[in-house]
Amino acid sequence: MATKLNEIGVRVSRINTIADESEAIITTLEEVFQRVDLVLMTGGLGPTNDDLTKKTLSDYFGMELKINEEVLADITAYFTSRGKKMLQMNIDQALLPDGAYVLRNYKGTASGMWFERDGKSVVSMPGVPYEMEHLMETGVIPRIIEKYRTTPVFHHTLMTFGEGESFIAERIKDWEAGLSGSGVKLAYLPSPGIVKLRLSAFGQNKSELEETVMSKVNELEALIPELVYGHNDETMEMAVANLLKNRGMTIATAESCTGGYIAHLLTSIPGSSSYYEGSFCTYSYRSKTKILGVDSELIAVQGAVSGEVVEAMVKGVFTHFDTDYAIAVSGIAGPAGGTPEKPVGTVWMCVGTKENQVTQCFHFGRDRMRNIRMTALHALNLVRLSILDS
Amino acid sequence: MATKLNEIGVRVSRINTIADESEAIITTLEEVFQRVDLVLMTGGLGPTNDDLTKKTLSDYFGMELKINEEVLADITAYFTSRGKKMLQMNIDQALLPDGAYVLRNYKGTASGMWFERDGKSVVSMPGVPYEMEHLMETGVIPRIIEKYRTTPVFHHTLMTFGEGESFIAERIKDWEAGLSGSGVKLAYLPSPGIVKLRLSAFGQNKSELEETVMSKVNELEALIPELVYGHNDETMEMAVANLLKNRGMTIATAESCTGGYIAHLLTSIPGSSSYYEGSFCTYSYRSKTKILGVDSELIAVQGAVSGEVVEAMVKGVFTHFDTDYAIAVSGIAGPAGGTPEKPVGTVWMCVGTKENQVTQCFHFGRDRMRNIRMTALHALNLVRLSILDS
């Protein structure tokens, strides 16, 4: 919700998470109306007894609940198309406050409601994320644009990979010092492996704002070109997918410690069948040998977590798949399985084409899910660099 | 944070998300101190210029920043062990407010700080989730228990799969009506495929509370036994993993539309190598034929998304892996690829042992990530039911 509001120039002053209780809802509304004109709410609109929001707001605004025939027809169609029986509590979802503006919901049975009094507005939406997103897009955002004069805002984010925020801050400190007075603000938004650098400006003229911010974005990108893999919330898998698509190239993976997570990232993007061929998750020693043809002697001598084994896994991928690129990873995700020589977090990966591969060893930390994610990001980044180099 | 506070009997009255600005921090603190005694904060403790929290709170409480030698030693060790160069801004992380209680952070460089004045406390923690979790566990929770008298609270959650909240509410309505007066509250917490039923009670005596809630839990579970797959935030993959581990059984998968997501879920659990053998992600037609031995004629006649093909995929899994169970899924995740006969969201799956399999067709919706997740949950649930039946 905040992202969408920002896009149209609405500044979000605060996000409150409160108890599902009438008193908490009313107290919070009265408190925030001291500071703001518009409150967007989600949740509490379901059909069960613990859903209190509709009743609470209708009472607060002195409106009666009446059956809305259009909404009842929507709900009936919703159940008919799914071949499910409609219960009384589903019909009751069409009971709506007489006097509120109704926002039709075509993805569920809980309508959105827009209440107004004395220049203050409350918009109530269902808590199910994709229903809320649908109502924001079709009803709430267009109505905000219609009713309010908003302040233009412009954000642009550079997505960086591979260095921590303090390292980046040190590299760009002179440039950052020069930002003050430009009206552009910089935020460092770190998460494992990735630091987002968000540049923002607020002002009067949207195209001027955009020009100001983008000139700073270009300066910043020129300072750390090898760290920037994308823009504006682009994920690493999107960056790799776009490169593969643009060059008509394909990829396959052989995963041990990531257990299918790299494949999952690569196939989370619509249209992935154009560049993604398939994967092997060879978790056991036996599967590495039997399916990828890794020499069992090699595993015995070097260990399954070794450069030699990931290189053999990549060869194994290319015997099955005629792709341009292959990824193979093998590591100790933890929490168990570490040894003094190969502690938890040790990961080997081999990435490349049939002719040209890179093999690297990494040492991540002790957290299993973080190790799986860091492994996947590094492997995908190596593919990205390899494509850009070719 | 709220979960951990609840566990020790602290009721969280509100969660505020505010701007990274000194004024917003101070205004919010003064506002919430009207209502509560203890405020836990996260974020804004990093080394970069946009991190304002430490300075803001130190000024607000009138404390000077001084180097804390113990913390400086921690930070130095942190960089030494990672073989990274320490910058001035990293050293500055040891500058801490003289007068605040310092919570040592062994997973990062930002210390936690506990400020007190006039019976009100503010605890500031870093925003990186695993650092915050570490500080909550080692410093904040023990100190809250020491300083405050808390109200016992007891929650127990039944995890259900496969029916919507209105269907469940209808089935249990008489029992739910009888809850009033028992002191036990019921909340329906729905997410795609899963509805959590959370029973809670607050009171004076912890063991009495537990007895009251658990007797209601048992009544509720007896009403909908086939829908309950687990307790207290157990995920579907944990439920399946526990069944497999307890019976010494193994599993492998062949995934098309889920692209490795089922494998990822099965390997997200520590110790998964005891039950998980490996997977094939056969995204292309060719890979289904070449790797799993699915007859290309069968694909041409029935289509890749068909009962015949997923049955052949399961056979293919068993030719490679000698596991007890196999899963195969094939579907149209969307947004493209649908036809009038097989619209987006159509998924076939086959699940079972070498001797005994179940083949089913599902129709999910239009959202790609939701279709992938629903497919994985249904496939894992079929494994669960099959193990329980055997």
Side-chain angles (χ1 to χ4, degrees):
Chain A
M1 283 161 62
T3 305
K4 290 291 166 194
L5 289 169
N6 260 230
E7 278 172 11
I8 59 163
V10 175
R11 288 188 84 155
V12 178
S13 71
R14 200 179 297 179
I15 301 170
N16 286 293
T17 308
I18 61 170
D20 247 339
E21 292 162 5
S22 293
E23 203 196 317
I25 294 171
I26 300 302
T27 310
T28 311
L29 269 187
E30 304 220 308
E31 203 178 292
V32 299
F33 274 150
Q34 308 294 318
R35 293 183 285 109
V36 305
D37 301 315
L38 172 64
V39 178
L40 306 191
M41 294 174 55
T42 59
L45 302 185
T48 56
N49 290 329
D50 57 335
D51 290 301
L52 307 159
T53 306
K54 185 170 71 182
K55 181 79 173 58
T56 302
L57 292 176
S58 302
D59 287 352
Y60 180 67
F61 285 96
M63 295 175 188
E64 237 179 292
L65 292 175
K66 288 191 182 159
I67 284 284
N68 181 310
E69 294 297 338
E70 285 177 339
V71 170
L72 184 58
D74 289 347
I75 295 174
T76 309
Y78 180 91
F79 278 87
T80 308
S81 76
R82 280 162 179 77
K84 288 207 171 184
K85 205 188 132 204
M86 193 156 76
L87 305 167
Q88 183 59 44
M89 72 181 86
N90 303 128
I91 295 169
D92 290 347
Q93 291 283 79
L95 278 172
L96 290 166
D98 192 22
Y101 178 84
V102 172
L103 301 152
R104 306 268 285 273
N105 178 357
Y106 297 102
K107 303 217 169 180
T109 63
S111 300
M113 295 164 286
W114 185 305
F115 298 86
E116 274 180 40
R117 188 164 64 198
D118 306 331
K120 305 282 183 182
S121 294
V122 182
V123 185
S124 167
M125 289 173 273
V128 179
Y130 73 95
E131 294 184 29
M132 174 278 285
E133 285 166 16
H134 159 65
L135 285 182
M136 280 293 282
E137 196 177 322
T138 58
V140 180
I141 292 291
R143 204 171 155 91
I144 292 174
I145 291 171
E146 193 187 304
K147 295 178 87 78
Y148 295 90
R149 192 197 310 226
T150 58
T151 314
V153 53
F154 188 81
H155 297 292
H156 191 95
T157 307
L158 286 179
M159 307 294 297
T160 74
F161 179 77
E163 291 292 349
E165 56 175 339
S166 58
F167 178 92
I168 296 172
E170 178 70 19
R171 283 238 330 239
I172 65 173
K173 67 180 174 193
D174 295 336
W175 174 84
E176 192 181 350
L179 265 190
S180 65
S182 72
V184 178
K185 285 185 113 182
L186 170 67
Y188 295 80
L189 307 168
S191 61
I194 290 170
V195 178
K196 298 187 198 182
L197 301 173
R198 191 185 59 205
L199 293 164
S200 320
F202 294 86
Q204 293 311 312
N205 181 314
K206 183 124 190 173
S207 65
E208 270 175 35
L209 279 182
E210 180 167 347
E211 210 176 293
T212 311
V213 172
M214 290 313 295
S215 84
K216 291 293 170 193
V217 166
N218 294 334
E219 288 174 18
L220 178 53
E221 187 164 6
L223 292 173
I224 46 168
E226 83 288 7
L227 300 182
V228 175
Y229 74 83
H231 295 255
N232 287 338
D233 291 319
E234 187 174 5
T235 60
M236 183 62 81
E237 58 271 23
M238 281 158 74
V240 171
N242 287 335
L243 281 173
L244 290 168
K245 274 188 208 169
N246 291 342
R247 302 189 183 208
M249 287 174 156
T250 55
I251 193 165
T253 77
E255 306 185 41
S256 186
C257 61
T258 46
Y261 184 63
I262 301 173
H264 167 57
L265 292 181
L266 284 168
T267 57
S268 65
I269 296 159
S272 54
S273 52
S274 72
Y275 59 83
Y276 176 74
E277 191 71 22
S279 289
F280 301 95
C281 303
T282 51
Y283 221 59
S284 62
Y285 285 14
R286 195 173 37 191
S287 65
K288 288 181 183 68
T289 304
K290 203 176 154 204
I291 294 160
L292 294 175
V294 180
D295 185 357
S296 58
E297 188 69 12
L298 189 73
I299 297 178
V301 174
Q302 304 291 344
V305 178
S306 65
E308 291 79 359
V309 165
V310 288
E311 285 168 5
M313 286 168 72
V314 159
K315 282 201 185 70
V317 173
F318 285 130
T319 64
H320 290 287
F321 290 120
D322 185 30
T323 55
D324 298 294
Y325 280 88
I327 294 173
V329 299
S330 183
I332 302 146
T339 64
E341 299 79 43
K342 292 178 185 171
V344 168
T346 306
V347 176
W348 277 94
M349 58 184 75
C350 177
V351 164
T353 61
K354 287 180 200 85
E355 295 75 32
N356 199 3
Q357 294 139 33
V358 187
T359 305
Q360 280 194 25
C361 182
F362 292 87
H363 296 279
F364 303 121
R366 292 195 199 140
D367 183 82
R368 181 178 182 84
M369 293 311 287
R370 197 167 185 271
N371 289 339
I372 291 173
R373 175 142 178 93
M374 289 297 275
T375 303
L377 289 177
H378 275 276
L380 290 173
N381 191 49
L382 287 178
V383 173
R384 185 181 73 86
L385 296 176
S386 170
I387 298 174
L388 289 175
D389 264 4
S390 66
Chain B
M1 283 160 63
T3 305
K4 290 292 165 194
L5 290 169
N6 261 230
E7 277 173 11
I8 59 163
V10 176
R11 289 187 84 155
V12 178
S13 72
R14 199 179 298 179
I15 301 169
N16 287 293
T17 308
I18 62 171
D20 246 340
E21 292 162 5
S22 293
E23 202 197 317
I25 294 172
I26 301 302
T27 311
T28 311
L29 270 187
E30 304 220 306
E31 201 179 293
V32 298
F33 274 150
Q34 309 294 320
R35 292 184 285 110
V36 305
D37 301 315
L38 174 64
V39 178
L40 306 190
M41 293 174 56
T42 59
L45 302 185
T48 54
N49 290 329
D50 56 335
D51 290 301
L52 307 158
T53 306
K54 185 170 71 180
K55 180 79 173 57
T56 301
L57 292 177
S58 303
D59 288 351
Y60 180 67
F61 285 95
M63 295 175 188
E64 236 179 292
L65 292 174
K66 288 191 182 159
I67 284 285
N68 181 309
E69 294 297 338
E70 287 177 338
V71 170
L72 184 58
D74 289 348
I75 294 173
T76 309
Y78 180 92
F79 278 87
T80 308
S81 76
R82 281 162 179 76
K84 287 207 173 185
K85 205 187 130 205
M86 193 156 75
L87 305 167
Q88 183 58 45
M89 73 182 86
N90 303 127
I91 296 169
D92 290 347
Q93 290 285 76
L95 279 172
L96 290 166
D98 192 22
Y101 178 84
V102 171
L103 302 151
R104 305 269 284 274
N105 178 357
Y106 298 102
K107 303 218 170 181
T109 63
S111 301
M113 295 163 285
W114 185 304
F115 298 87
E116 273 180 41
R117 189 163 66 197
D118 306 330
K120 306 282 182 181
S121 293
V122 182
V123 185
S124 168
M125 289 174 273
V128 179
Y130 74 95
E131 295 184 29
M132 175 278 286
E133 285 165 16
H134 160 65
L135 285 182
M136 280 293 283
E137 197 177 324
T138 58
V140 181
I141 292 292
R143 203 169 154 92
I144 291 174
I145 291 170
E146 193 188 303
K147 295 179 86 78
Y148 294 90
R149 191 197 308 227
T150 58
T151 314
V153 55
F154 188 81
H155 297 291
H156 192 95
T157 306
L158 287 179
M159 306 294 296
T160 75
F161 179 77
E163 290 291 350
E165 57 175 338
S166 58
F167 178 93
I168 296 172
E170 178 71 18
R171 278 223 357 222
I172 65 173
K173 67 180 173 192
D174 295 338
W175 173 84
E176 191 181 351
L179 266 189
S180 65
S182 72
V184 178
K185 284 185 114 181
L186 170 67
Y188 295 80
L189 307 169
S191 60
I194 290 170
V195 178
K196 299 187 196 184
L197 301 173
R198 191 183 62 204
L199 293 164
S200 321
F202 295 86
Q204 294 310 312
N205 180 313
K206 182 123 190 173
S207 65
E208 270 175 34
L209 278 183
E210 180 167 345
E211 210 176 293
T212 312
V213 172
M214 289 313 294
S215 84
K216 290 294 169 192
V217 166
N218 293 335
E219 287 174 16
L220 177 54
E221 187 164 4
L223 292 174
I224 46 169
E226 83 288 7
L227 299 182
V228 175
Y229 75 82
H231 294 255
N232 287 338
D233 290 319
E234 189 175 4
T235 59
M236 181 62 81
E237 56 271 24
M238 282 158 74
V240 170
N242 288 335
L243 281 173
L244 290 168
K245 274 189 209 169
N246 291 342
R247 303 191 183 205
M249 287 174 157
T250 55
I251 193 165
T253 76
E255 307 184 40
S256 186
C257 61
T258 46
Y261 184 63
I262 301 173
H264 168 56
L265 291 181
L266 285 168
T267 58
S268 65
I269 296 160
S272 53
S273 52
S274 72
Y275 59 83
Y276 176 73
E277 192 69 24
S279 290
F280 301 97
C281 303
T282 50
Y283 221 59
S284 61
Y285 284 13
R286 194 173 38 192
S287 65
K288 289 180 182 69
T289 303
K290 202 176 155 202
I291 295 160
L292 294 175
V294 180
D295 185 358
S296 58
E297 187 70 11
L298 189 71
I299 298 179
V301 174
Q302 303 292 345
V305 178
S306 64
E308 290 79 1
V309 166
V310 289
E311 286 168 4
M313 286 167 72
V314 159
K315 282 200 185 73
V317 173
F318 284 130
T319 64
H320 290 286
F321 290 121
D322 186 31
T323 54
D324 298 293
Y325 280 88
I327 294 174
V329 299
S330 184
I332 302 145
T339 64
E341 299 79 44
K342 293 178 185 171
V344 167
T346 305
V347 176
W348 277 93
M349 56 184 75
C350 176
V351 164
T353 62
K354 288 181 200 83
E355 296 75 32
N356 200 2
Q357 295 140 32
V358 186
T359 306
Q360 280 193 26
C361 181
F362 292 88
H363 294 280
F364 303 121
R366 292 195 199 142
D367 183 82
R368 181 178 182 86
M369 293 312 286
R370 197 168 186 269
N371 289 339
I372 291 173
R373 177 143 176 92
M374 290 296 276
T375 302
L377 289 176
H378 275 276
L380 290 172
N381 191 50
L382 287 177
V383 173
R384 185 180 74 85
L385 296 176
S386 169
I387 297 174
L388 290 175
D389 263 5
S390 66

